[in-house]
Coordinates of all heavy atoms in Angstrom, one line a residue:
M1 N 24.3 4.9 23.6 CA 23.3 3.8 23.4 C 22.6 4.0 22.1 O 22.2 5.1 21.7 CB 22.4 3.8 24.6 CG 21.5 2.5 24.5 SD 20.7 2.4 26.1 CE 19.2 1.8 25.6
R2 N 22.4 3.0 21.4 CA 21.7 3.0 20.1 C 20.3 2.6 20.2 O 20.0 1.6 20.9 CB 22.5 2.1 19.2 CG 22.7 2.6 17.8 CD 23.6 1.7 17.0 NE 22.9 1.5 15.8 CZ 23.4 0.9 14.8 NH1 24.7 0.5 14.9 NH2 22.8 0.8 13.7
C3 N 19.4 3.2 19.4 CA 18.0 2.9 19.4 C 17.8 1.5 18.7 O 18.3 1.4 17.6 CB 17.2 4.0 18.8 SG 15.4 3.6 18.6
K4 N 17.0 0.7 19.2 CA 16.7 -0.6 18.6 C 15.3 -0.6 18.0 O 14.8 -1.7 17.6 CB 16.9 -1.8 19.6 CG 18.3 -1.9 20.2 CD 19.3 -2.4 19.2 CE 20.6 -2.5 19.8 NZ 21.6 -2.9 19.0
G5 N 14.6 0.5 18.1 CA 13.3 0.6 17.6 C 13.1 0.4 16.1 O 14.0 0.9 15.3
V6 N 12.1 -0.3 15.7 CA 11.8 -0.5 14.3 C 10.5 0.2 14.0 O 9.5 0.0 14.8 CB 11.7 -2.0 14.0 CG1 11.3 -2.2 12.5 CG2 13.0 -2.7 14.2
F7 N 10.4 0.9 12.9 CA 9.1 1.6 12.6 C 8.9 1.5 11.1 O 9.8 1.1 10.3 CB 9.1 3.1 13.0 CG 10.1 3.9 12.4 CD1 9.8 4.6 11.2 CD2 11.4 4.1 12.9 CE1 10.8 5.4 10.6 CE2 12.4 4.8 12.3 CZ 12.0 5.5 11.1
R8 N 7.6 1.7 10.7 CA 7.3 1.6 9.3 C 6.9 3.0 8.8 O 6.4 3.8 9.5 CB 6.1 0.7 9.2 CG 6.4 -0.8 9.5 CD 5.1 -1.6 9.3 NE 5.4 -3.0 9.4 CZ 5.7 -3.8 8.4 NH1 5.8 -3.3 7.2 NH2 6.0 -5.1 8.5
D9 N 7.0 3.1 7.5 CA 6.6 4.3 6.8 C 6.1 3.9 5.4 O 6.5 2.9 4.9 CB 7.7 5.3 6.7 CG 7.2 6.8 6.8 OD1 6.0 7.0 6.5 OD2 8.0 7.7 7.1
R10 N 5.3 4.8 4.8 CA 4.8 4.5 3.5 C 5.9 4.5 2.4 O 6.8 5.3 2.5 CB 3.7 5.5 3.1 CG 2.5 5.4 4.0 CD 1.5 6.4 3.6 NE 0.4 6.4 4.5 CZ -0.8 5.8 4.2 NH1 -0.9 5.2 3.0 NH2 -1.8 5.7 5.0
A11 N 5.8 3.6 1.5 CA 6.8 3.5 0.4 C 6.8 4.7 -0.4 O 7.9 5.1 -0.9 CB 6.5 2.3 -0.5
G12 N 5.7 5.4 -0.6 CA 5.6 6.6 -1.4 C 6.4 7.7 -0.8 O 6.9 8.6 -1.5
R13 N 6.5 7.8 0.5 CA 7.3 8.8 1.2 C 8.8 8.5 1.1 O 9.6 9.4 1.1 CB 6.9 8.9 2.6 CG 5.5 9.4 2.8 CD 5.2 9.5 4.3 NE 3.8 9.9 4.5 CZ 3.3 9.9 5.7 NH1 3.9 9.4 6.7 NH2 2.0 10.2 5.8
L14 N 9.2 7.3 1.2 CA 10.6 6.9 1.4 C 11.3 7.0 0.0 O 11.4 6.0 -0.7 CB 10.6 5.4 1.9 CG 12.0 5.0 2.4 CD1 12.5 5.9 3.5 CD2 11.9 3.6 2.9
Q15 N 11.8 8.2 -0.3 CA 12.5 8.4 -1.5 C 13.8 9.1 -1.2 O 14.0 9.5 0.0 CB 11.7 9.2 -2.5 CG 10.4 8.5 -2.9 CD 9.6 9.3 -3.9 OE1 10.1 10.3 -4.4 NE2 8.4 8.9 -4.2
D16 N 14.7 9.3 -2.1 CA 15.9 9.9 -1.9 C 15.8 11.3 -1.3 O 15.0 12.1 -1.9 CB 16.7 10.0 -3.2 CG 18.2 10.3 -3.1 OD1 18.7 10.0 -2.0 OD2 18.7 10.9 -4.0
G17 N 16.4 11.6 -0.2 CA 16.3 12.9 0.4 C 15.3 13.0 1.5 O 15.2 14.0 2.2
Y18 N 14.5 11.9 1.7 CA 13.5 11.9 2.7 C 14.1 11.8 4.1 O 15.1 11.1 4.3 CB 12.6 10.7 2.5 CG 11.5 10.5 3.5 CD1 10.4 11.4 3.6 CD2 11.5 9.5 4.4 CE1 9.4 11.3 4.6 CE2 10.5 9.3 5.3 CZ 9.4 10.2 5.4 OH 8.4 10.0 6.3
S19 N 13.6 12.5 5.1 CA 14.0 12.4 6.5 C 12.8 12.3 7.4 O 11.7 12.7 7.1 CB 14.8 13.7 6.9 OG 14.0 14.8 6.8
R20 N 13.1 11.6 8.5 CA 12.0 11.3 9.5 C 12.6 11.1 10.8 O 13.7 10.6 11.0 CB 11.2 10.0 9.1 CG 10.2 9.7 10.1 CD 9.1 8.9 9.5 NE 8.0 8.8 10.5 CZ 7.7 7.7 11.2 NH1 8.4 6.6 11.0 NH2 6.7 7.7 12.0
Q21 N 11.8 11.6 11.8 CA 12.3 11.4 13.2 C 11.9 10.1 13.8 O 10.7 9.7 13.6 CB 11.7 12.6 14.0 CG 12.2 12.7 15.4 CD 11.7 13.9 16.1 OE1 10.7 14.5 15.7 NE2 12.4 14.3 17.2
C22 N 12.8 9.4 14.4 CA 12.5 8.1 15.0 C 11.5 8.3 16.1 O 11.7 9.2 17.0 CB 13.8 7.5 15.6 SG 13.5 5.9 16.5
P23 N 10.4 7.6 16.1 CA 9.3 7.8 17.2 C 9.8 7.4 18.6 O 9.3 7.9 19.6 CB 8.2 6.9 16.7 CG 8.7 6.0 15.7 CD 10.0 6.6 15.2
S24 N 10.8 6.5 18.7 CA 11.2 6.1 20.1 C 12.4 7.0 20.6 O 12.3 7.4 21.8 CB 11.5 4.7 20.1 OG 12.5 4.4 19.2
C25 N 13.4 7.2 19.8 CA 14.6 8.0 20.3 C 14.6 9.4 19.8 O 15.5 10.2 20.3 CB 15.8 7.2 20.0 SG 16.3 7.2 18.3
E26 N 13.8 9.8 18.9 CA 13.7 11.2 18.4 C 14.9 11.6 17.6 O 15.1 12.8 17.4 CB 13.3 12.1 19.5 CG 12.0 11.8 20.2 CD 11.6 12.8 21.3 OE1 12.4 13.7 21.6 OE2 10.5 12.6 21.8
V27 N 15.7 10.7 17.1 CA 16.8 11.1 16.3 C 16.3 11.2 14.8 O 15.5 10.4 14.4 CB 17.9 10.0 16.3 CG1 19.0 10.2 15.3 CG2 18.6 9.9 17.7
V28 N 16.8 12.2 14.1 CA 16.3 12.4 12.7 C 17.1 11.5 11.8 O 18.3 11.5 11.8 CB 16.5 13.9 12.3 CG1 16.0 14.1 10.8 CG2 15.6 14.8 13.2
L29 N 16.4 10.7 11.0 CA 17.0 9.8 10.1 C 16.9 10.3 8.7 O 15.8 10.8 8.3 CB 16.3 8.4 10.2 CG 16.3 7.8 11.5 CD1 15.3 6.6 11.5 CD2 17.7 7.3 11.9
F30 N 17.9 10.3 7.9 CA 17.9 10.7 6.5 C 18.1 9.5 5.6 O 18.9 8.7 5.8 CB 19.1 11.7 6.3 CG 19.0 13.0 7.1 CD1 19.6 13.1 8.3 CD2 18.2 14.0 6.6 CE1 19.4 14.3 9.0 CE2 18.1 15.2 7.3 CZ 18.7 15.3 8.5
F31 N 17.2 9.4 4.6 CA 17.3 8.3 3.7 C 17.8 8.8 2.3 O 17.3 9.8 1.8 CB 15.8 7.8 3.5 CG 15.3 7.1 4.7 CD1 14.6 7.9 5.6 CD2 15.6 5.8 5.0 CE1 14.1 7.3 6.8 CE2 15.1 5.3 6.2 CZ 14.3 6.0 7.1
A32 N 18.9 8.2 1.9 CA 19.5 8.6 0.6 C 19.8 7.3 -0.2 O 20.2 6.3 0.4 CB 20.8 9.4 0.9
E33 N 19.8 7.4 -1.5 CA 20.1 6.2 -2.3 C 21.5 5.8 -2.2 O 21.8 4.6 -2.3 CB 19.8 6.6 -3.8 CG 18.4 6.8 -4.2 CD 17.5 5.5 -4.2 OE1 18.1 4.4 -4.3 OE2 16.3 5.6 -4.1
D34 N 22.4 6.7 -1.9 CA 23.8 6.3 -1.8 C 24.3 6.1 -0.4 O 25.5 6.1 -0.1 CB 24.7 7.4 -2.5 CG 24.5 8.8 -1.8 OD1 23.5 8.9 -1.0 OD2 25.2 9.7 -2.1
S35 N 23.4 5.8 0.5 CA 23.7 5.5 1.9 C 24.6 4.2 2.0 O 24.4 3.3 1.2 CB 22.5 5.3 2.7 OG 22.8 4.9 4.0
Q36 N 25.5 4.2 2.9 CA 26.3 3.0 3.1 C 25.8 2.1 4.1 O 26.2 0.9 4.3 CB 27.8 3.5 3.6 CG 28.5 4.3 2.5 CD 28.6 3.5 1.2 OE1 29.0 2.4 1.2 NE2 28.3 4.2 0.1
H37 N 24.7 2.5 4.9 CA 24.1 1.7 5.9 C 23.3 0.6 5.2 O 22.4 0.9 4.4 CB 23.3 2.5 6.8 CG 22.9 1.8 8.1 ND1 21.9 1.0 8.2 CD2 23.5 1.9 9.3 CE1 21.8 0.5 9.4 NE2 22.8 1.1 10.1
P38 N 23.5 -0.7 5.6 CA 22.8 -1.8 4.9 C 21.3 -1.7 5.1 O 20.5 -2.1 4.2 CB 23.4 -3.0 5.5 CG 24.1 -2.6 6.7 CD 24.5 -1.2 6.5
F39 N 20.8 -1.3 6.3 CA 19.4 -1.3 6.6 C 18.7 -0.2 5.8 O 17.6 -0.3 5.3 CB 19.1 -1.1 8.1 CG 19.5 -2.3 8.9 CD1 20.1 -2.0 10.1 CD2 19.3 -3.6 8.5 CE1 20.5 -3.1 10.9 CE2 19.7 -4.6 9.2 CZ 20.3 -4.4 10.5
T40 N 19.4 1.0 5.6 CA 18.9 2.1 4.8 C 18.8 1.6 3.3 O 17.8 1.9 2.6 CB 19.7 3.3 4.9 OG1 19.8 3.7 6.3 CG2 19.2 4.5 4.2
K41 N 19.9 1.0 2.9 CA 19.9 0.5 1.5 C 18.7 -0.5 1.2 O 18.0 -0.4 0.2 CB 21.2 -0.3 1.2 CG 22.3 0.6 0.9 CD 23.5 -0.3 0.5 CE 24.7 0.5 0.1 NZ 25.8 -0.3 -0.3
R42 N 18.5 -1.4 2.2 CA 17.4 -2.4 2.0 C 16.0 -1.7 2.0 O 15.2 -2.0 1.2 CB 17.5 -3.4 3.1 CG 16.4 -4.5 3.0 CD 16.6 -5.6 4.0 NE 16.5 -5.0 5.3 CZ 16.7 -5.6 6.5 NH1 17.1 -6.9 6.4 NH2 16.6 -5.0 7.6
A43 N 15.9 -0.7 2.9 CA 14.6 0.0 3.0 C 14.3 0.8 1.7 O 13.2 0.8 1.2 CB 14.6 1.0 4.2
M44 N 15.4 1.4 1.1 CA 15.2 2.2 -0.1 C 14.9 1.2 -1.3 O 14.0 1.5 -2.1 CB 16.4 3.0 -0.4 CG 16.8 4.0 0.6 SD 15.6 5.3 0.7 CE 15.9 6.2 -0.8
R45 N 15.5 0.1 -1.3 CA 15.3 -0.9 -2.4 C 13.8 -1.5 -2.2 O 13.1 -1.6 -3.2 CB 16.3 -2.0 -2.3 CG 16.2 -3.1 -3.4 CD 17.3 -4.1 -3.3 NE 17.5 -4.7 -2.0 CZ 18.5 -4.6 -1.2 NH1 19.5 -3.9 -1.6 NH2 18.6 -5.2 -0.1
N46 N 13.4 -1.8 -1.0 CA 12.1 -2.3 -0.8 C 11.0 -1.3 -1.1 O 10.0 -1.7 -1.7 CB 11.9 -2.8 0.6 CG 12.7 -4.0 0.9 OD1 13.2 -4.7 0.0 ND2 12.9 -4.3 2.2
A47 N 11.2 -0.1 -0.8 CA 10.3 1.0 -1.1 C 10.2 1.2 -2.6 O 9.1 1.4 -3.2 CB 10.7 2.3 -0.5
R48 N 11.3 1.1 -3.3 CA 11.3 1.3 -4.8 C 10.5 0.1 -5.4 O 9.7 0.4 -6.3 CB 12.7 1.3 -5.3 CG 12.9 1.7 -6.7 CD 14.3 1.9 -7.2 NE 15.3 1.0 -6.6 CZ 16.2 1.3 -5.7 NH1 16.3 2.6 -5.2 NH2 17.1 0.4 -5.2
T49 N 10.7 -1.1 -4.9 CA 10.0 -2.2 -5.5 C 8.5 -2.1 -5.2 O 7.6 -2.4 -6.0 CB 10.5 -3.5 -4.8 OG1 11.9 -3.6 -5.0 CG2 9.8 -4.8 -5.4
A50 N 8.1 -1.7 -4.0 CA 6.7 -1.5 -3.6 C 6.0 -0.5 -4.5 O 4.9 -0.7 -4.9 CB 6.6 -1.2 -2.1
R51 N 6.7 0.7 -4.7 CA 6.1 1.7 -5.6 C 5.9 1.2 -7.0 O 4.9 1.4 -7.6 CB 7.0 2.9 -5.6 CG 7.0 3.8 -4.3 CD 7.6 5.1 -4.5 NE 9.0 5.0 -5.0 CZ 10.1 5.0 -4.2 NH1 9.9 5.0 -2.9 NH2 11.3 4.9 -4.8
K52 N 6.9 0.4 -7.5 CA 6.7 -0.2 -8.8 C 5.5 -1.1 -8.9 O 4.7 -1.1 -9.8 CB 8.0 -0.9 -9.2 CG 8.0 -1.6 -10.6 CD 9.2 -2.3 -10.9 CE 9.2 -3.0 -12.2 NZ 10.3 -3.8 -12.5
E53 N 5.4 -2.0 -7.9 CA 4.2 -2.9 -7.8 C 2.9 -2.2 -7.7 O 1.9 -2.6 -8.3 CB 4.4 -3.9 -6.6 CG 5.5 -4.9 -6.8 CD 5.8 -5.7 -5.6 OE1 5.2 -5.5 -4.5 OE2 6.7 -6.6 -5.7
Q54 N 2.9 -1.1 -7.0 CA 1.7 -0.3 -6.8 C 1.3 0.3 -8.2 O 0.1 0.4 -8.5 CB 1.8 0.8 -5.8 CG 1.8 0.2 -4.4 CD 2.2 1.3 -3.3 OE1 2.6 2.4 -3.7 NE2 2.1 0.9 -2.1
R55 N 2.3 0.8 -8.9 CA 2.0 1.4 -10.2 C 1.4 0.4 -11.2 O 0.5 0.6 -11.9 CB 3.2 2.1 -10.8 CG 3.6 3.4 -10.2 CD 4.7 4.1 -11.1 NE 5.9 3.3 -11.2 CZ 6.9 3.3 -10.5 NH1 7.0 4.1 -9.4 NH2 8.0 2.5 -10.7
E56 N 2.0 -0.8 -11.2 CA 1.6 -1.9 -12.1 C 0.2 -2.4 -11.7 O -0.6 -2.7 -12.5 CB 2.6 -3.0 -12.0 CG 3.9 -2.7 -12.7 CD 4.9 -3.8 -12.4 OE1 4.7 -4.8 -11.7 OE2 6.0 -3.7 -13.0
A57 N -0.1 -2.4 -10.4 CA -1.4 -2.8 -9.9 C -2.5 -1.8 -10.4 O -3.6 -2.2 -10.7 CB -1.4 -3.0 -8.4
K58 N -2.2 -0.5 -10.4 CA -3.1 0.5 -10.8 C -3.5 0.3 -12.3 O -4.6 0.5 -12.7 CB -2.6 1.9 -10.6 CG -2.8 2.5 -9.3 CD -2.4 3.9 -9.2 CE -2.5 4.5 -7.9 NZ -2.0 5.9 -7.8
V59 N -2.5 0.0 -13.1 CA -2.7 -0.2 -14.5 C -3.6 -1.4 -14.8 O -4.5 -1.4 -15.6 CB -1.4 -0.3 -15.3 CG1 -1.6 -0.7 -16.7 CG2 -0.6 1.0 -15.1
V60 N -3.3 -2.5 -14.1 CA -4.0 -3.8 -14.3 C -5.3 -3.9 -13.6 O -6.1 -4.8 -13.9 CB -3.1 -4.9 -13.9 CG1 -3.7 -6.3 -14.1 CG2 -1.7 -4.9 -14.6
R61 N -5.6 -3.0 -12.7 CA -6.8 -3.1 -11.9 C -8.0 -3.2 -12.8 O -8.2 -2.4 -13.7 CB -6.9 -1.8 -11.0 CG -8.1 -1.9 -10.1 CD -8.2 -0.7 -9.2 NE -7.0 -0.6 -8.4 CZ -6.7 0.5 -7.7 NH1 -7.4 1.6 -7.8 NH2 -5.6 0.5 -7.0
P62 N -8.9 -4.2 -12.5 CA -10.1 -4.3 -13.4 C -11.1 -3.2 -13.1 O -11.1 -2.6 -12.1 CB -10.6 -5.7 -13.0 CG -10.1 -5.9 -11.6 CD -8.8 -5.2 -11.5
A63 N -11.9 -3.0 -14.1 CA -13.0 -2.0 -14.0 C -13.9 -2.4 -12.8 O -14.0 -3.6 -12.4 CB -13.7 -1.9 -15.3
A64 N -14.7 -1.4 -12.4 CA -15.6 -1.7 -11.3 C -16.7 -2.7 -11.8 O -17.1 -2.7 -13.0 CB -16.3 -0.4 -10.8
P65 N -17.2 -3.6 -10.9 CA -18.2 -4.5 -11.4 C -19.5 -3.8 -11.8 O -19.8 -2.7 -11.4 CB -18.5 -5.4 -10.1 CG -18.0 -4.6 -9.0 CD -16.9 -3.7 -9.5
D66 N -20.2 -4.5 -12.7 CA -21.5 -4.0 -13.2 C -22.5 -3.9 -12.1 O -22.7 -4.9 -11.4 CB -22.0 -4.9 -14.3 CG -23.2 -4.3 -15.0 OD1 -23.5 -3.1 -14.8 OD2 -23.9 -5.1 -15.7
P67 N -23.1 -2.7 -11.8 CA -24.0 -2.6 -10.7 C -25.2 -3.5 -10.7 O -25.8 -3.9 -9.7 CB -24.5 -1.1 -10.7 CG -24.1 -0.6 -12.0 CD -23.0 -1.5 -12.6
R68 N -25.6 -4.0 -11.9 CA -26.7 -4.9 -12.0 C -26.3 -6.3 -11.5 O -27.2 -7.0 -11.1 CB -27.2 -5.0 -13.5 CG -27.8 -3.7 -13.9 CD -28.2 -3.8 -15.4 NE -26.9 -3.7 -16.1 CZ -26.8 -3.9 -17.4 NH1 -27.8 -4.3 -18.1 NH2 -25.6 -3.7 -18.0
T69 N -25.1 -6.7 -11.6 CA -24.7 -8.0 -11.2 C -24.1 -8.0 -9.8 O -24.1 -9.0 -9.1 CB -23.6 -8.6 -12.1 OG1 -22.5 -7.7 -12.1 CG2 -24.1 -8.7 -13.5
A70 N -23.7 -6.9 -9.3 CA -23.2 -6.8 -7.9 C -24.4 -6.7 -7.0 O -25.2 -5.8 -7.1 CB -22.3 -5.6 -7.7
R71 N -24.4 -7.6 -6.0 CA -25.5 -7.7 -5.1 C -25.0 -7.8 -3.7 O -23.9 -8.3 -3.5 CB -26.4 -8.9 -5.4 CG -27.1 -8.8 -6.7 CD -28.1 -9.9 -6.9 NE -28.8 -9.7 -8.2 CZ -28.8 -10.6 -9.1 NH1 -28.3 -11.8 -8.9 NH2 -29.5 -10.4 -10.2
S72 N -25.8 -7.3 -2.8 CA -25.4 -7.4 -1.4 C -25.5 -8.9 -0.9 O -26.1 -9.7 -1.6 CB -26.3 -6.6 -0.5 OG -27.6 -7.1 -0.5
R73 N -24.9 -9.2 0.2 CA -25.0 -10.6 0.7 C -26.4 -11.0 1.0 O -26.7 -12.2 0.8 CB -24.2 -10.7 2.0 CG -22.7 -10.6 1.8 CD -22.0 -10.8 3.1 NE -20.7 -10.3 3.1 CZ -19.9 -10.3 4.1 NH1 -20.2 -10.8 5.2 NH2 -18.7 -9.8 4.0
S74 N -27.2 -10.1 1.5 CA -28.6 -10.5 1.8 C -29.4 -10.8 0.6 O -30.4 -11.5 0.6 CB -29.3 -9.4 2.7 OG -29.3 -8.2 1.9
F75 N -29.0 -10.3 -0.5 CA -29.7 -10.5 -1.8 C -29.1 -11.5 -2.7 O -29.7 -11.9 -3.7 CB -29.7 -9.1 -2.5 CG -30.7 -9.1 -3.7 CD1 -32.0 -9.0 -3.5 CD2 -30.2 -9.3 -5.0 CE1 -32.9 -9.0 -4.6 CE2 -31.0 -9.2 -6.1 CZ -32.4 -9.1 -5.9
A76 N -28.0 -12.1 -2.2 CA -27.1 -12.9 -3.1 C -27.8 -14.1 -3.7 O -27.7 -14.4 -4.9 CB -25.9 -13.4 -2.3
G77 N -28.6 -14.9 -3.0 CA -29.2 -16.1 -3.5 C -30.5 -15.9 -4.2 O -31.0 -16.8 -4.8
R78 N -31.1 -14.7 -4.1 CA -32.4 -14.5 -4.6 C -32.3 -14.2 -6.1 O -31.4 -13.5 -6.6 CB -33.1 -13.4 -3.9 CG -33.2 -13.6 -2.4 CD -33.8 -12.4 -1.8 NE -33.7 -12.5 -0.3 CZ -34.0 -11.5 0.5 NH1 -34.4 -10.4 0.0 NH2 -33.8 -11.7 1.8
T79 N -33.3 -14.7 -6.8 CA -33.4 -14.3 -8.3 C -34.8 -13.7 -8.5 O -35.7 -14.0 -7.7 CB -33.2 -15.5 -9.2 OG1 -34.2 -16.5 -8.8 CG2 -31.8 -16.1 -9.0
R80 N -34.9 -13.0 -9.5 CA -36.2 -12.4 -9.9 C -37.0 -13.4 -10.5 O -36.7 -14.0 -11.5 CB -35.9 -11.2 -10.8 CG -37.1 -10.3 -11.0 CD -36.7 -9.1 -11.8 NE -37.6 -8.1 -11.4 CZ -37.4 -6.8 -11.6 NH1 -36.2 -6.4 -12.1 NH2 -38.2 -5.9 -11.2
S81 N -38.2 -13.6 -10.0 CA -39.1 -14.6 -10.6 C -39.9 -14.0 -11.7 O -40.1 -12.8 -11.7 CB -40.1 -15.2 -9.5 OG -40.8 -14.1 -8.9
A82 N -40.3 -14.8 -12.6 CA -41.1 -14.3 -13.8 C -42.4 -13.7 -13.3 O -43.0 -14.3 -12.4 CB -41.3 -15.4 -14.8
R83 N -42.8 -12.7 -13.9 CA -44.1 -12.1 -13.5 C -45.3 -13.0 -13.9 O -45.3 -13.7 -14.9 CB -44.3 -10.8 -14.3 CG -43.5 -9.7 -13.7 CD -43.9 -8.4 -14.3 NE -43.3 -7.3 -13.6 CZ -43.4 -6.0 -13.9 NH1 -44.1 -5.7 -14.9 NH2 -42.8 -5.1 -13.2
R84 N -46.2 -13.1 -13.0 CA -47.3 -14.0 -13.2 C -48.4 -13.2 -14.0 O -48.6 -12.0 -13.8 CB -48.0 -14.4 -11.9 CG -47.0 -15.3 -11.1 CD -47.7 -15.9 -9.9 NE -48.7 -15.0 -9.3 CZ -49.2 -15.2 -8.2 NH1 -48.8 -16.1 -7.4 NH2 -50.2 -14.4 -7.7
K85 N -48.9 -13.9 -15.0 CA -50.0 -13.3 -15.8 C -51.3 -13.9 -15.3 O -51.5 -15.1 -15.4 CB -49.8 -13.5 -17.3 CG -48.5 -12.9 -17.8 CD -48.4 -13.1 -19.2 CE -47.2 -12.4 -19.8 NZ -46.9 -12.7 -21.2
D86 N -52.1 -13.1 -14.8 CA -53.4 -13.6 -14.3 C -54.5 -13.4 -15.3 O -54.7 -12.6 -16.1 CB -53.8 -12.9 -13.0 CG -52.9 -13.3 -11.9 OD1 -52.3 -14.4 -11.9 OD2 -52.8 -12.5 -10.9

């Protein structure tokens, strides 16, 4: 009988030579770039694409917002009123 369980793993881990035990049937799965199994090929291709997108997102990620302009929700609508001169 074959396991029909589907599980997820991080794209960073899923590289050539990676192995993992199936959580439902406890069979050890080996992931290789030259695998003939279509699901393994698709998983390796998707992981490669995801890693590439993550690298590109890190490069393009904008700088942190200026702390003077970032306000909490409770403070969002309030503005500083001009000081009164008595």
Side-chain angles (χ1 to χ4, degrees):
M1 190 166 139
R2 222 173 129 168
C3 176
K4 300 288 183 183
V6 176
F7 63 92
R8 293 181 171 268
D9 211 340
R10 295 178 182 260
R13 292 182 185 166
L14 193 60
Q15 295 182 13
D16 193 30
Y18 177 69
S19 63
R20 175 153 191 253
Q21 188 173 17
C22 176
S24 57
C25 69
E26 299 180 357
V27 170
V28 178
L29 303 169
F30 294 94
F31 295 92
E33 292 287 340
D34 58 349
S35 174
Q36 296 302 313
H37 195 278
F39 294 139
T40 304
K41 281 184 177 182
R42 184 176 57 187
M44 297 296 283
R45 184 175 53 245
N46 292 345
R48 192 171 38 253
T49 304
R51 285 192 305 270
K52 181 180 176 186
E53 289 172 358
Q54 288 172 352
R55 282 192 305 269
E56 290 171 355
K58 272 186 184 177
V59 171
V60 179
R61 184 179 299 164
D66 186 12
R68 291 175 285 169
T69 59
R71 296 187 176 126
S72 66
R73 288 187 200 175
S74 61
F75 191 77
R78 302 179 194 171
T79 58
R80 191 174 207 156
S81 59
R83 288 190 167 176
R84 295 188 329 195
K85 293 182 180 179
D86 291 336

